[in-house]
Amino acid sequence: MPPARRTSSPRDRRTYDPNRIRTALINQVEAVTDAAHRLGPDSFALPSGLPGWDVHHLLVHIAQQIEAVPGQLGRPETEVSTRTPELSLTRWALATAGAAGRLDEATRREAAEVTDGPARIDRAVADLEPVIESAVREDLVIPHDFGRMRMLDFTVSRLVELVVHSDDLARATGVRVALDRQATAAAVRVLADALAAKAPGGSVEVRVPPFAVVQAVEGPRHTRGTPPNVVETDPLTWIRLATGRTSWAEALATPHLAASGERSDLSALLPVLS
């Protein structure tokens, strides 16, 4: 898979191919829906791994992420001021911590009202299907809590959420949830770009093969040869690190994370999305 393109704009906005994102969204939604329907009745009360949420809460939250796409597209047309800063995926990822409390409250409130999590996901999927083409429009700009955002970027943000929560569901229940390759690539890249924006610099090279390589952390920048500070990990470990599902120390104690050089400890910079 070729890497997603970067533009030369001041905010270094990575762009995503609409066709790939549409396919990835369809595949990831199908995978998590299938997994939800394969859960046994005793699974819904299992801890999700997220503070205060059981698997039922998690399923409701997954439905909300799917439904957010048609929800945005179904809003009355509003003129979006060009004076409002455009919200990139990087800025979205770094801003999520500020909305965590509100999202937690919304999930808890709906989970208390809904009795059937898989059916709730089905309803969200039914709403998504008729608007799947509009979901990947890059020419459509929508209002967002943190600024104006391209619809394609908003859909990529939901794809990141779906990948992260598909993994949460698999870990909590032991039920396999397939992670679409293109969806995983998008999640890895968004989170890697967020790290580079959070700690700009060129002293550490962060490698998540085969999907992303970014430079981060202030300090001497290497120009040729092997960088003096290198962090390398696999896509799923990176996603878990970048979202706080796994700590730096836990990952470093496994073969899945390698860090070399005196500046390679990223523990103080993680997670980048919460």
Side-chain angles (χ1 to χ4, degrees):
M1 179 191 305
R5 303 182 307 278
R6 280 185 181 273
T7 67
S8 57
S9 66
R11 64 191 180 96
D12 197 24
R13 177 178 176 266
R14 192 190 292 268
T15 59
Y16 292 84
D17 180 85
N19 292 326
R20 290 177 180 273
I21 294 303
R22 180 181 59 245
T23 299
L25 180 65
I26 291 169
N27 290 345
Q28 199 55 51
V29 166
E30 287 180 349
V32 76
T33 302
D34 174 69
H37 282 283
R38 285 188 283 113
L39 295 176
D42 296 334
S43 299
F44 304 116
L46 292 173
S48 69
L50 304 174
W53 288 11
D54 58 20
V55 168
H56 175 66
H57 286 86
L58 180 57
L59 293 175
V60 169
H61 188 69
I62 289 169
Q64 291 172 339
Q65 305 318 302
I66 298 169
E67 191 176 67
V69 174
Q72 279 287 1
L73 291 167
R75 293 171 62 175
E77 288 191 18
T78 302
E79 184 175 346
V80 182
S81 173
T82 56
R83 291 175 293 182
T84 304
E86 186 172 323
L87 180 67
S88 67
L89 281 160
T90 296
R91 286 183 53 227
W92 162 76
L94 295 177
T96 52
R102 175 172 53 81
L103 296 174
D104 177 70
E105 181 181 348
T107 298
R108 290 175 185 273
R109 183 170 58 249
E110 185 171 358
E113 300 170 354
V114 170
T115 58
D116 190 332
R120 176 67 181 87
I121 291 178
D122 288 343
R123 293 198 298 275
V125 173
D127 289 341
L128 174 65
E129 288 174 347
V131 300
I132 197 70
E133 296 300 327
S134 295
V136 294
R137 283 180 56 187
E138 192 169 17
D139 63 322
L140 176 62
V141 179
I142 60 171
H144 191 281
D145 291 347
F146 305 140
R148 60 192 178 96
M149 194 174 195
R150 296 173 191 262
M151 190 63 215
L152 174 60
D153 284 355
F154 180 78
T155 297
V156 173
S157 77
R158 297 312 92 192
L159 192 55
V160 174
E161 295 275 3
L162 284 174
V163 168
V164 172
H165 292 311
S166 291
D167 183 47
D168 288 336
L169 185 62
R171 296 173 78 187
T173 64
V175 171
R176 182 179 180 274
V177 186
L179 295 181
D180 176 78
R181 177 180 171 84
Q182 295 179 68
T184 302
V188 165
R189 290 166 180 155
V190 169
L191 297 170
D193 290 347
L195 174 70
K198 184 176 184 178
S203 69
V204 179
E205 185 164 285
V206 181
R207 302 170 178 170
V208 191
F211 299 133
V213 178
V214 296
Q215 305 287 325
V217 185
E218 289 185 351
R221 178 183 294 272
H222 74 278
T223 57
R224 64 179 63 184
T226 303
N229 302 283
V230 177
V231 172
E232 184 164 338
T233 188
D234 63 89
L236 191 53
T237 300
W238 170 243
I239 289 169
R240 292 172 179 174
L241 279 167
T243 60
R245 269 62 177 177
T246 298
S247 73
W248 180 262
E250 290 169 338
L252 200 58
T254 74
H256 302 299
L257 173 64
S260 60
E262 61 180 15
R263 297 175 183 270
S264 64
D265 186 343
L266 302 181
S267 57
L269 301 173
L270 299 173
V272 295
L273 184 150
S274 56

